[in-house]
Amino acid sequence: MSTYYNSEDLKKFGSIGAFGAKNLADDFFKYYGDVFAEGALSSREKSLIALAVAHVLKCPYCIDAYTTDTLEKGCSEDEMMEAVHVGAVMAAGITLVHSTQMINKAKELTM
Amino acid sequence: MNPVKSLKARKHELGESAFQLEVLNDRLTLGKHLPLFREKLAPIDLFPLKPTEIDIFQVNVGKMCNQVCKHCHVDAGPDRKEIMTQETMQLCLDVLKKHKFRTIDLTGGAPEMNPHFRWFIEQIRAIDNDINIIVRCNLTIILANKKYHDLPEFFKQHRIEVASSLPFYTATRTDSQRGDGVFEDSIKALQMLNAVGYGQEGSGLILNLVYNPAGAFLPSGQAGMEKEFKRALKAKYGIEFNHLFCITNIPISRFLDYLLVSGNYSEYMEKLVNSFNPTAAANVMCRTTLSIGWDGYLYDCDFNQMLDLKVAGKAKHLRDFDMEALTQRSIIINQHCYGCTAGAGSSCGGEVAK
């Protein structure tokens, strides 16, 4: 059966450069590695942020990868779930804050 | 819920070491081709794997334990009766009189349940007052029975380094691996160890915690994990300790059973193989360790012991101890060894490579 998402495909991510535009893929993976290295934020904190983003952008590959990664970095269930809630509340807030534009426009158009 | 009996007592086929080796070497079961461990060692000039300097004398004094943890590579539990006799302990002491080791590492089961445990430690101290003695304490044993309540004092008296298993700093994940109520008792035991000075700055009494993942994933970043454990345990329970050792679960015995039953075996093995680190391979603990079984047989490590893979060479028992032959032997390896070479590497002392 053909599906749009296949968990085995996640393992192929690192080799997308072999298909073409290798220099761009290399640049991306270098950037990726640098971003997730220990810095002002710990790699553990960065992993929790990534887990939240994975949910907001609804990427099953990323949810797989960062659930594993946060577990490996010793994050607790509460921390992981709270990160997802942060993502959820941001997404909801982003939707709702746009209602101000709707309200402005509605006021503009109505008596 | 954790199993209440060992694989052995349940007559589970994985209770037999030969069957475990069959599973580990049946690459068809994996559904994918994974290289043999020796094929990874050969290109980096580590095959055959040889000892460097044997300075850790690890003694497994028995498989009896008050816990039945889901991941236990020993398949230990209250129903396991294999216990090192005083005569076999004497053979260990004879070796210690003749040869110098940096560390004696006592493990089990719960080593404290061996009736000769305290006598053994006193004898070791009488032979060598400076040698580092490590006891791998599961913590809950301290509270399991009144006769164990004074273990912290006993450890202090003999300047024992305590290495205590604590899979996580929350009850949920600890209890899911080690049994209901284990976390609560572990916290109480750690507080008792702290109370006599363990883990306290300047006391010289070393309390190290041992973390291993409660599931089919690898440990990552020992330093970061240690920081989190210290922060969480201090803030909530006032507990202090020296270091955290992160250990990878080795795919044998009850952890192998868990991997197979949960459908994670193939992925886990693939992850171990893909995470093979040559630096970790060069520093594996079996190059510096001798592992002694409850019945006096010699092994390259505690995992080989549980798979009944005795040391190579003629002298396989304490009775025939031959340090020169042991120093020159080739270490027995198999597919489970990938567990010690993944990522930053895993040993009884935690990560082995950066």
Side-chain angles (χ1 to χ4, degrees):
Chain A
M1 192 178 81
S2 177
T3 58
Y4 283 103
Y5 287 113
N6 181 348
S7 61
E8 285 294 308
D9 286 344
L10 177 56
K11 293 170 193 162
K12 301 172 190 165
F13 183 31
S15 49
I16 56 167
F19 187 74
K22 186 175 180 307
N23 57 330
L24 297 179
D26 288 347
D27 285 351
F28 167 77
F29 286 117
K30 162 82 172 62
Y31 179 53
Y32 195 107
D34 289 348
V35 166
F36 278 97
E38 289 283 333
L41 293 176
S42 67
S43 61
R44 187 177 188 279
E45 289 164 326
K46 290 175 183 182
S47 187
L48 285 165
I49 293 170
L51 183 68
V53 172
H55 281 77
V56 173
L57 297 182
K58 300 180 185 68
C59 170
Y61 299 119
C62 311
I63 292 172
D64 248 26
Y66 284 96
T67 300
T68 306
D69 196 58
T70 45
L71 281 171
E72 289 186 344
K73 291 196 163 68
C75 300
S76 67
E77 288 81 352
D78 282 344
E79 289 173 311
M80 292 161 69
M81 203 59 219
E82 283 184 22
V84 175
H85 280 292
V86 171
V89 81
M90 284 302 292
I94 287 164
T95 305
L96 292 174
V97 77
H98 280 80
S99 69
T100 57
Q101 190 176 343
M102 170 194 74
I103 294 164
N104 288 343
K105 189 68 182 173
K107 282 183 176 168
E108 203 180 295
L109 295 175
T110 56
M111 287 185 280
Chain B
M1 202 171 135
N2 285 1
V4 289
K5 283 185 175 177
S6 65
L7 293 168
K8 194 92 175 170
R10 285 187 276 144
K11 301 197 187 312
H12 193 294
E13 50 191 355
L14 284 172
E16 298 301 325
S17 54
F19 185 75
Q20 293 177 48
L21 286 168
E22 240 177 77
V23 172
L24 284 166
N25 286 282
D26 178 5
R27 288 186 279 175
L28 287 177
T29 311
L30 284 166
K32 55 193 75 164
H33 176 82
L34 293 181
L36 294 173
F37 186 68
R38 67 166 180 265
E39 292 168 359
K40 289 279 191 180
L41 294 188
I44 52 172
D45 295 329
L46 283 177
F47 185 76
L49 190 62
K50 292 285 187 183
T52 47
E53 184 192 8
I54 302 172
D55 62 0
I56 301 173
F57 192 80
Q58 188 174 60
V59 188
N60 192 313
V61 297
K63 299 184 180 182
M64 190 181 283
C65 190
N66 60 318
Q67 294 182 175
V68 193
C69 303
K70 275 183 184 168
H71 72 297
C72 183
H73 72 277
V74 179
D75 192 25
D79 56 58
R80 298 303 298 260
K81 306 301 178 201
E82 299 93 329
I83 281 290
M84 185 176 273
T85 61
Q86 203 165 6
E87 289 73 26
T88 305
M89 285 181 175
Q90 187 58 57
L91 293 175
C92 291
L93 296 170
D94 294 343
V95 170
L96 296 178
K97 278 177 199 163
K98 281 188 197 155
H99 302 282
K100 186 81 184 161
F101 293 89
R102 177 171 54 93
T103 297
I104 308 284
D105 189 341
L106 301 179
T107 186
E112 302 89 341
M113 290 179 84
N114 184 307
H116 314 297
F117 170 75
R118 296 188 194 214
W119 173 85
F120 192 35
I121 284 179
E122 285 158 4
Q123 298 305 307
I124 295 168
R125 268 283 166 260
I127 293 169
D128 190 334
N129 202 32
D130 298 321
I131 195 164
N132 185 34
I133 305 176
I134 299 175
V135 170
R136 302 210 168 250
C137 174
N138 73 11
L139 292 173
T140 62
I141 190 67
I142 295 174
L143 290 123
N145 186 302
K146 202 175 170 185
K147 67 180 177 183
Y148 300 124
H149 289 358
D150 67 333
L151 275 170
E153 279 294 346
F154 176 80
F155 291 152
K156 178 182 179 176
Q157 184 190 345
H158 295 282
R159 290 170 286 115
I160 304 294
E161 179 179 321
V162 178
S164 292
S165 323
L166 189 70
F168 209 54
Y169 52 78
T170 65
T172 318
R173 214 177 286 172
T174 299
D175 289 358
S176 76
Q177 181 183 100
R178 303 176 83 86
D180 291 343
V182 165
F183 182 75
E184 197 184 331
D185 281 355
S186 299
I187 292 297
K188 284 181 196 157
L190 285 170
Q191 288 166 336
M192 288 166 77
L193 286 162
N194 275 175
V196 300
Y198 272 95
Q200 309 294 325
E201 206 180 324
S203 72
L205 297 170
I206 303 297
L207 170 61
N208 293 325
L209 297 187
V210 181
Y211 159 86
N212 63 286
F217 55 96
L218 306 185
S220 163
Q222 186 166 275
M225 194 83 82
E226 178 181 294
K227 204 170 142 191
E228 281 306 312
F229 263 68
K230 284 194 169 176
R231 183 192 59 77
L233 292 177
K234 175 76 180 167
K236 211 162 176 190
Y237 308 104
I239 288 168
E240 297 194 73
F241 65 95
N242 296 91
H243 295 293
L244 182 79
F245 299 151
C246 289
I247 293 185
T248 301
N249 289 313
I250 306 296
I252 65 170
S253 195
R254 290 216 284 268
F255 189 65
L256 177 58
D257 180 41
Y258 158 75
L259 289 174
L260 290 166
V261 170
S262 65
N264 282 303
Y265 175 59
S266 180
E267 284 285 311
Y268 190 78
M269 288 306 292
E270 193 178 13
K271 187 154 194 176
L272 289 182
V273 173
N274 291 339
S275 310
F276 177 83
N277 178 353
T279 310
N283 294 300
V284 281
M285 62 182 166
C286 51
R287 302 191 81 186
T288 54
T289 303
L290 259 188
S291 164
I292 319 299
W294 67 275
D295 50 4
Y297 280 97
L298 309 177
Y299 302 87
D300 302 300
C301 72
D302 207 47
F303 306 114
N304 278 7
Q305 183 179 144
M306 300 316 148
L307 290 170
D308 199 26
L309 299 169
K310 296 181 176 71
V311 289
K314 285 181 188 164
K316 294 181 190 298
H317 194 275
L318 281 171
R319 280 188 300 266
D320 315 306
F321 196 87
D322 182 343
M323 187 56 121
E324 203 183 325
L326 287 166
T327 308
Q328 288 164 19
R329 81 195 192 278
S330 293
I331 292 164
I332 308 284
I333 55 168
N334 211 299
Q335 295 304 79
H336 64 293
C337 300
Y338 277 116
C340 286
T341 57
S346 180
S347 77
C348 288
E351 288 181 356
V352 298
K354 293 295 162 200

